[in-house]
Amino acid sequence: MNRKEFLGNTVKAAAGILVAPHFNIIKSKPKMYDTVIGHGDFKYKVHKSWGDLDRAKTPVKNCHEMVMDSKGRLIVVGDNTKNNILIYDKSGKLLDSWGVRYKGGHGLSLWNDGSEDFLFICDAKGESMIKTTTDGRELMIIGHPSKYGAYEKKDKFKPTESAIGPNGDIYIADGYGANYVLQFTKDGEFIRKIGSGRGTGQDQFQTVHGVCIDYRGKGEPTLLITSRAANCFKRFTLDGKYIEQIDLPGAFVCRPVIHNQNLYSGVCWSSDIDYIEGDKNTHPYHINPKSGFVTILDDKGKVVSNPGGTKPTYKKGKLQRMVQEKPIFRHCHDVCVDNDENLYVCQWNANKAYPIKLERV
């Protein structure tokens, strides 16, 4: 079966799913860029106004992350307390909005227990991770790690992302705080800290911005953890043992997103110089401001496409530095992939932009 036949069958299978909206704001009328971005088999047309809404009624500051639920709805978290959560259908129509207290609404993960979808919201300013239903009912809150004996009260805790393990364990990335990944049971009982905090060692992180569970491969699932300022992902076992590092020179990646056999990530900035550990003339936070693109890796950890960025190039097996090529994006913060393999891109500090759709071609 080729890709077109597969996608056609997927659309037919999904045709029976109906999503009844709570209300509509507007029907978006996407404008398509004339150019196609991306490389190889991963090329896309840009619908920049796909998610645009009435700013007077449904404003945003930063659209931080997006997930797709079991009904095919696209759910966005942001940090505007008039509506922390936006819920779209695939046409860009607003179905619902809620959330009025997550001042640092940043991370959004979805987990299904076999019968129902649940959201896990990381509030970086509220120093908490909140489990909710998809209509906003709060079920559990994990607060400052000092309450569980994991941190001292003076330690910063600014969670940026979460992931849910196969047994329901909760992994929280403290990306803007002490730079650990914290593991809890599904009931909120503390298990362990993963990593050795901020630093350049194998099991240390420079902005542990994201975390996900990687089920690809034949072995046990693993953790993929972002070290954004070090331009890499790091792989750990589910109980916190370091395995490997995937270098992405020049790319300040946000969370890893797995869809089928590929990994997708928003690149918040690109760097115009390489960071060399121990070199006083370079710095892990050296960035080209107002940049960003999307990067896509295969199941071997090889970059296959950079929509909005330079073509991935390898010399003697080593990936060369990647930077923004086209000024389409500004600080890509997350990527969501739908069942048709279209992408939806959230941006930070991008003039209060709504999500952008990339239609796969």
Side-chain angles (χ1 to χ4, degrees), residues 26-30 49-51 74 88-94 344 357:
I26 60 171
K27 289 185 177 180
S28 64
K29 297 180 179 179
S49 61
W50 172 86
L74 297 155
Y88 291 92
D89 70 9
K90 290 181 183 178
S91 74
K93 182 191 301 181
L94 185 69
Y344 303 84
K357 178 180 180 178

Side-chain angles (χ1 to χ4, degrees), residues 168-340:
D169 280 359
I170 303 166
Y171 297 85
I172 301 175
D174 185 12
Y176 295 156
N179 273 263
Y180 293 97
V181 173
L182 303 166
Q183 183 179 358
F184 293 82
T185 69
K186 63 181 180 180
D187 298 316
E189 298 173 349
F190 176 69
I191 299 174
R192 63 171 61 88
K193 291 190 294 188
I194 293 174
S196 300
R198 186 183 300 278
T200 57
Q202 280 190 340
D203 67 343
Q204 291 182 303
F205 307 102
Q206 294 279 357
T207 312
V208 58
H209 193 270
V211 58
C212 81
I213 311 295
D214 190 353
Y215 290 95
R216 298 172 298 172
K218 297 181 180 179
E220 294 293 320
T222 57
L223 291 171
L224 273 178
I225 302 173
T226 306
S227 185
R228 188 169 70 180
N231 299 169
C232 70
F233 296 121
K234 297 191 177 190
R235 189 183 302 278
F236 288 73
T237 63
L238 294 183
D239 58 358
K241 296 181 177 62
Y242 173 83
I243 299 174
E244 66 170 343
Q245 179 169 309
I246 302 171
D247 291 314
L248 300 165
F252 287 71
V253 285
C254 294
R255 73 161 162 180
V257 176
I258 306 292
H259 179 79
N260 294 332
Q261 291 301 306
N262 294 106
L263 184 158
Y264 301 76
S265 184
V267 177
C268 204
W269 306 281
S270 51
S271 173
D272 55 10
I273 63 170
D274 290 322
Y275 168 58
I276 303 173
E277 185 176 334
D279 186 343
K280 295 181 180 179
N281 295 317
T282 64
H283 191 278
Y285 288 96
H286 191 284
I287 59 174
N288 178 16
K290 299 181 182 179
S291 61
F293 55 95
V294 173
T295 190
I296 306 171
L297 289 70
D298 65 17
D299 58 349
K300 306 299 182 184
K302 181 179 180 180
V303 178
V304 294
S305 182
N306 287 322
T310 50
K311 181 179 179 180
T313 302
Y314 285 81
K315 293 182 179 180
K316 296 181 179 180
K318 185 177 181 181
L319 180 62
Q320 303 302 293
R321 179 167 48 86
M322 305 177 293
V323 298
Q324 184 185 71
E325 183 178 57
K326 298 180 184 295
I328 294 171
F329 303 113
R330 181 172 175 175
H331 308 139
C332 295
H333 198 273
D334 192 36
V335 179
C336 180
V337 190
D338 71 17
N339 291 332
D340 297 321

